[in-house]
């Protein structure tokens, strides 16, 4: 039993180390350059062409350049996003988690709060314009289908910037923010829930270390189940798409886009692309967990600094 005079443990802010940022950027770059971008392209193609099933989307992507069609938007937009979003998340989540704890929040609540705040910051700082330009790259090929040669990547970027300014290249950023904050909040919570179940099943309830397979299973379940918010991802793609539809409302907002998709494609349309999205969540988990320990050792040797980030 604690006494009234017993001092509270000192609350310390987690340092954001260069080694942590390097580890996060390296793992994200590997993830997106391997299977990450192909799954992203298929997911975006299905969300933009809501009449397509999974195999039809694969064929559509292949028709845009074979294997290279699956890597549209990788350079530079996906690489910019992958190399910066981890740093933004770590900085903001660390601050948010610290202040949540200073107001008396539990470790679980402060962790979720930090992740959600970091997710919002990711959207507005770096992911907004990157996801917009990736979507433009993927969907502008509908122009090519009409016999018009689509402009290059930077030509497209400058054309949007000249016509619509910062707002144009960040189109759909509010939807990205909603997706990121619900992603991180639910992924954290669901992963912890799955981990608790695994501990009970394996008899490791007293804090024993989980095996790599058990960590992948817990994080994979959290990542896969967090695809429940796929409707906001479909809304995001529609808002950023370069398709021209006379029936689509001008100046799309999240609400207008939701109504437009639902009226044309129903509930099923709002969940288009959920299969590759689940696959993407599982692949991200494998990269972060299975390869994380090897990458951690390599970064520590390179920088001489102990990595403290969890992966």
């Amino acid at each position: 039993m604690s006494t009234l005079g017993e001092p509270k443990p000192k609350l310390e802010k987690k340092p954001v180390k260069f080694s942590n940022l390097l580890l996060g950027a390296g793992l994200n770059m590997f993830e997106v350059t391997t299977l990450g971008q192909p799954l992203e392209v298929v997911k975006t193609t299905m969300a933009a062409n809501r009449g397509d099933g999974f195999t039809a989307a694969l064929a559509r992507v292949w028709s845009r350049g074979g294997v290279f069609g699956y890597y549209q938007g990788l350079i530079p937009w996906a690489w910019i996003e992958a190399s910066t979003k981890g740093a933004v998340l770590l900085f903001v989540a660390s601050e948010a988690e610290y202040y949540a704890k200073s107001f008396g929040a539990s470790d679980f609540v402060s962790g979720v709060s930090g992740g959600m705040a970091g997710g919002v910051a990711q959207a507005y700082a770096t992911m907004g314009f990157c996801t917009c330009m990736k979507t433009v790259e993927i969907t502008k090929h509908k122009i090519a289908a009409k016999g018009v040669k689509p402009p290059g990547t930077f030509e497209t970027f400058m054309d949007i910037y000249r016509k619509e300014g910062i707002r144009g290249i960040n189109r759909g950023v509010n939807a990205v923010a909603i997706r990121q904050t619900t992603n991180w909040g639910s992924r954290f919570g669901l992963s912890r829930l799955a981990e608790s179940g695994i501990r009970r099943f394996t008899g490791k309830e007293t804090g024993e270390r989980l095996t790599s397979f058990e960590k992948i299973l817990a994080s994979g379940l959290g990542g896969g189940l967090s695809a429940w918010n796929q409707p906001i991802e479909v809304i995001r793609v529609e808002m950023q798409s370069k398709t021209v539809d006379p029936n689509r409302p001008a100046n799309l907002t999240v609400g207008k886009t939701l109504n437009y998709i639902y009226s044309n494609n129903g509930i099923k349309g709002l969940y288009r692309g959920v299969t590759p999205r689940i696959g993407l969540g599982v692949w991200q988990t494998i990269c972060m967990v299975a390869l994380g320990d090897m990458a951690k050792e390599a970064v520590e040797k390179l920088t001489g600094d102990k990595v403290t980030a969890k992966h």
Side-chain angles (χ1 to χ4, degrees):
M1 186 175 176
S2 62
T3 61
L4 291 173
E6 186 178 323
K8 289 183 179 179
K10 187 180 178 183
L11 181 63
E12 292 185 3
K13 192 183 295 186
K14 291 178 184 176
V16 178
K17 298 181 177 180
F18 172 71
S19 55
N20 291 353
L21 302 182
L22 186 61
L23 175 66
L27 287 172
N28 279 320
M29 287 286 283
F30 175 81
E31 174 268 315
V32 77
T33 308
T34 50
L35 279 179
Q37 189 61 11
L39 287 166
E40 179 72 26
V41 169
V42 175
K43 177 191 73 174
T44 302
T45 299
M46 290 180 73
N49 302 277
R50 290 179 292 279
D52 286 0
F54 185 65
T55 52
L58 291 176
R60 186 186 290 271
V61 174
W62 184 265
S63 72
R64 295 198 298 246
V67 172
F68 294 106
Y70 290 93
Y71 286 91
Q72 283 174 324
L74 176 66
I75 303 171
W77 311 116
W79 276 5
I80 293 171
E81 181 185 323
S83 59
T84 57
K85 68 180 181 181
V88 173
L89 178 71
L90 279 172
F91 274 115
V92 177
S94 176
E95 290 291 316
E97 187 173 346
Y98 171 77
Y99 284 109
K101 284 182 179 178
S102 71
F103 286 114
S106 66
D107 287 347
F108 180 80
V109 172
S110 58
V112 172
S113 301
M116 292 177 76
V120 172
Q122 280 181 324
Y124 290 108
T126 184
M127 290 185 73
F129 78 91
C130 286
T131 56
C132 183
M133 292 310 301
K134 284 193 297 179
T135 305
V136 166
E137 280 292 295
I138 294 163
T139 59
K140 74 180 183 182
H141 282 260
K142 288 189 174 182
I143 301 169
K146 296 174 183 176
V148 180
K149 185 182 178 182
T153 295
F154 288 105
E155 190 182 343
T156 303
F157 179 85
M158 291 309 299
D159 185 51
I160 294 171
Y161 182 75
R162 279 192 295 268
K163 289 178 181 176
E164 304 174 60
I166 294 292
R167 189 174 180 179
I169 59 173
N170 277 284
R171 188 174 299 285
V173 70
N174 291 336
V176 176
I178 296 169
R179 184 195 72 180
Q180 287 304 103
T181 191
T182 52
N183 255 5
W184 280 107
S186 59
R187 182 174 286 202
F188 183 95
L190 291 167
S191 295
R192 292 298 176 273
L193 197 64
E195 186 178 308
S196 297
I198 290 168
R199 286 189 178 281
R200 280 196 299 273
F201 183 76
T202 57
K204 296 180 178 178
E205 294 182 75
T206 52
E208 293 92 337
R209 189 179 179 87
L210 294 180
T211 65
S212 292
F213 174 75
E214 288 165 348
K215 285 197 288 184
I216 289 172
L217 182 60
S219 298
L221 285 169
L225 292 172
S226 65
W228 64 267
N229 67 354
Q230 180 64 11
I232 197 65
E233 173 68 356
V234 176
I235 289 168
R236 189 272 302 172
V237 171
E238 187 60 44
M239 290 178 76
Q240 295 175 341
S241 174
K242 291 300 286 181
T243 54
V244 178
D245 181 355
N247 299 315
R248 188 166 73 167
N251 302 317
L252 286 174
T253 62
V254 171
K256 282 182 184 177
T257 312
L258 171 63
N259 186 56
Y260 168 73
I261 295 169
Y262 181 74
S263 62
N264 282 280
N265 307 100
I267 290 289
K268 196 174 179 180
L270 288 166
Y271 279 91
R272 271 289 180 227
V274 72
T275 302
R277 175 130 183 254
I278 291 170
L280 183 58
V282 172
W283 177 241
Q284 287 170 339
T285 297
I286 290 170
C287 288
M288 295 299 165
V289 179
L291 302 177
D293 287 329
M294 289 185 287
K296 187 177 174 181
E297 286 178 19
V299 168
E300 286 177 343
K301 283 180 183 176
L302 181 67
T303 63
D305 192 14
K306 187 171 178 62
V307 175
T308 57
K310 292 178 182 178
H311 52 268

